[in-house]
Amino acid sequence: MINTFIITILLIALAVTAGLLIFIVVRIMLRKEPWPASTGERLARILDGFPLPVFEIDSEHKVTQWNSALETMSGIKKADVLGTSGQWRAFYPEKRPVLADLIADGAPGKTIDAFYKGKFKPAPLIDGAYEAEDFFPALGEKGKWYQFTASPIRDNRGVVGAIEILEDVTDQHIADQNLRYYVGQLTRVQEEERKYLARELHDTTVQTLVALIYQLDNFFAGKPNLTEAETDRLRTIYKSLKRAVEGVRGFSRELRPPVLDDLGLVPGLSWLADDLKKVYNVEVNVDVSGEEKRLPQDVELALFRIIQEALINSAKHARVPSMQAKIAYLKDKVEVNVIDRGEGFDLPEKISSLPRDGKLGLAGIAERVQLLGGRLEIDTGKGRGTSVNVEIPL
Ligand SMILES: Nc1ncnc2c1ncn2[C@@H]1O[C@H](COP(=O)(O)OP(=O)(O)O)[C@@H](O)[C@H]1O
Ligand SMILES: [Mg+2]
């Protein structure tokens, strides 16, 4: 009797427990939220909401993340690339390492340079990360410019993969190219205009003024009976005419120093040093090394303009009483340095962005160097002075 009672109680308890369990399981199964996702799935969800293309690879170079923006950009679906080493397909027509592959391998700068020749640099904020900018002819209608950063992923064993993020900078590139084209045209037109004006002033204006002086001289000679007042008046006119001739000649020389065309770069620089002394009251030390020789006219003119602009910049912006212009004639190149120990300045990342603020000097220098196939380096910084270094192959 008692046994039956206990068994009944136990059965009821069992039924209640089972019911409760079933209730809990059903509740869990009916939950709207799935089970907590794995870290990888969570990361995938975060990256899919990210507006820039991103992918991640592991140390075996297998793709572990490929976000929606990258699917759109590349036309390659996540499902088709995850777990493969097909990341290159988004960017290149043939298999080759992408930046993330090199970073995941901890490749040295030399190896990275073999694939991204001079177009990459260490990323400023992340240790071991690199950023690069390159043109991808196969993307879009006419190719695309992308800026991309690849960063290593580390755990306590070291680098276990890499993540790469891309940004389409095609529009900026087109704007930059337009600006550079504009500066290039401006530089050429300015040079032609200077030449034209210098010649016109010399050949026409100066000649006319000189002819007037002769006429006045003759007029004087034929009039011995002028009053003193009349003579004084004519003398004043005569002096004014002479001053005008000197003024126009000087102006014409500044536009295009004949000494540059006649005698070459070094005499041109001596003339420039004298001119800057007069105009800005600064001392320019010209230092020539190597065997001085005449260079092609366009090279001499371009180097002259480069040095002139750099020296005028030092005179105007550096707040120093003196500066140095060095020119070295080497076997197959000419090196030029314009150095001041003045205030220095923060150089923008791209010189080509300066014309946007109406600053055409440094951009003009860069343009001329580019036209001659040379190299430009500007070493400056607040409080560090400025050194403009140019190398032109001969
Ligand atoms: N030698 C220099 N010392 C200090 N600042 C300089 C020097 N050269 C250039 N800069 C800075 O760089 C800017 C850009 O120069 P540039 O392109 O020649 O334009 P601009 O001389 O017309 O201002 C200048 O406005 C100035 O702030
Ligand atoms: Mg300037």
Side-chain angles (χ1 to χ4, degrees):
M1 182 66 192
I2 286 193
N3 272 351
T4 323
F5 179 70
I6 289 174
I7 286 167
T8 314
I9 294 285
L10 276 175
L11 278 175
I12 290 170
L14 206 67
V16 170
T17 314
L20 255 171
L21 266 173
I22 289 166
F23 176 73
I24 289 169
V25 168
V26 168
R27 274 300 298 267
I28 287 175
M29 285 174 70
L30 287 180
R31 260 163 51 127
K32 279 219 180 86
E33 282 291 304
W35 285 92
S38 73
T39 320
E41 281 168 37
R42 269 174 198 235
L43 181 59
R45 265 191 252 156
I46 294 169
L47 292 182
D48 279 341
F50 197 63
L52 299 177
V54 184
F55 67 94
E56 180 204 50
I57 55 168
D58 62 17
S59 56
E60 313 271 87
H61 303 272
K62 298 264 187 289
V63 177
T64 43
Q65 294 291 344
W66 192 266
N67 76 345
S68 304
L70 184 52
E71 284 188 333
T72 311
M73 176 206 133
S74 65
I76 299 172
K77 291 278 164 228
K78 189 188 302 214
D80 297 331
V81 73
L82 279 185
T84 77
S85 295
Q87 52 274 33
W88 58 271
R89 291 198 288 128
F91 316 104
Y92 304 104
E94 278 156 35
K95 185 165 182 173
R96 53 158 277 178
V98 302
L99 191 59
D101 289 308
L102 301 167
I103 299 302
D105 283 342
K110 223 171 63 201
T111 313
I112 301 179
D113 196 45
F115 290 99
Y116 294 99
K117 294 174 188 60
K119 287 181 272 189
F120 72 101
K121 57 177 195 265
L125 298 177
I126 308 161
D127 183 33
Y130 278 87
E131 58 185 32
E133 203 170 289
D134 208 355
F135 182 65
F136 296 89
L139 299 181
E141 269 177 38
K142 296 182 183 164
K144 293 250 178 215
W145 280 95
Y146 272 93
Q147 193 181 57
F148 41 103
T149 306
S151 318
I153 299 171
R154 297 190 176 93
D155 70 3
N156 46 18
R157 290 167 294 160
V159 177
V160 291
I163 185 158
E164 184 166 326
I165 173 166
L166 298 112
E167 192 178 355
D168 185 345
V169 289
T170 312
D171 287 348
Q172 274 133 279
H173 256 270
I174 292 172
D176 257 8
Q177 267 167 1
N178 288 346
L179 209 57
R180 272 204 43 211
Y181 176 76
Y182 167 72
V183 173
Q185 293 294 79
L186 205 65
T187 308
R188 264 185 291 273
V189 170
Q190 187 189 45
E191 208 54 69
E192 273 164 28
E193 200 78 338
R194 279 175 175 168
K195 196 170 160 185
Y196 168 76
L197 278 175
R199 194 173 291 154
E200 272 299 288
L201 287 175
H202 183 265
D203 294 355
T204 311
T205 316
V206 171
Q207 299 312 331
T208 309
L209 290 173
V210 169
L212 276 177
I213 292 174
Y214 274 117
Q215 284 179 36
L216 203 60
D217 254 348
N218 288 339
F219 181 76
F220 237 161
K223 289 257 186 298
N225 304 325
L226 291 176
T227 65
E228 196 150 323
E230 283 168 333
T231 313
D232 277 351
R233 187 79 208 279
L234 284 174
R235 278 221 176 85
T236 312
I237 296 176
Y238 184 84
K239 279 189 196 147
S240 300
L241 276 173
K242 281 220 139 179
R243 266 205 305 277
V245 169
E246 279 322 302
V248 177
R249 276 207 179 116
F251 188 50
S252 153
R253 266 197 297 273
E254 263 175 43
L255 282 169
R256 171 89 179 222
V259 60
L260 179 68
D261 291 319
D262 298 343
L263 302 175
L265 188 55
V266 175
L269 291 184
S270 301
W271 173 86
L272 183 59
D274 289 345
D275 194 52
L276 291 178
K277 173 91 197 157
K278 269 188 251 152
V279 180
Y280 294 98
N281 194 25
V282 289
E283 210 65 55
V284 179
N285 303 305
V286 180
D287 176 277
V288 183
S289 63
E291 200 179 320
E292 184 186 335
K293 59 187 163 197
R294 290 301 304 259
L295 309 171
Q297 200 190 23
D298 60 325
V299 178
E300 283 188 340
L301 179 61
L303 283 173
F304 180 83
R305 293 294 185 214
I306 288 168
I307 298 171
Q308 186 177 35
E309 176 59 37
L311 284 173
I312 291 177
N313 271 351
S314 296
K316 273 193 336 198
H317 306 297
R319 295 174 197 276
V320 277
S322 70
M323 50 224 49
Q324 206 180 11
K326 288 194 207 173
I327 167 156
Y329 289 88
L330 306 175
K331 207 169 97 235
D332 48 7
K333 63 182 176 183
V334 184
E335 275 175 12
V336 160
N337 310 87
V338 174
I339 304 157
D340 71 59
R341 297 188 188 285
E343 294 194 340
F345 62 105
D346 289 327
L347 190 68
E349 196 168 329
K350 285 187 180 163
I351 291 176
S352 56
S353 66
L354 283 167
R356 280 190 202 116
D357 301 329
K359 296 177 176 170
L360 291 164
L362 292 179
I365 291 182
E367 192 53 36
R368 289 182 198 271
V369 172
Q370 167 102 8
L371 283 173
L372 297 176
R375 221 170 48 82
L376 166 69
E377 185 198 277
I378 299 174
D379 189 8
T380 186
K382 279 247 180 309
R384 290 198 7 232
T386 301
S387 171
V388 176
N389 312 310
V390 169
E391 209 181 277
I392 303 292
L394 293 178

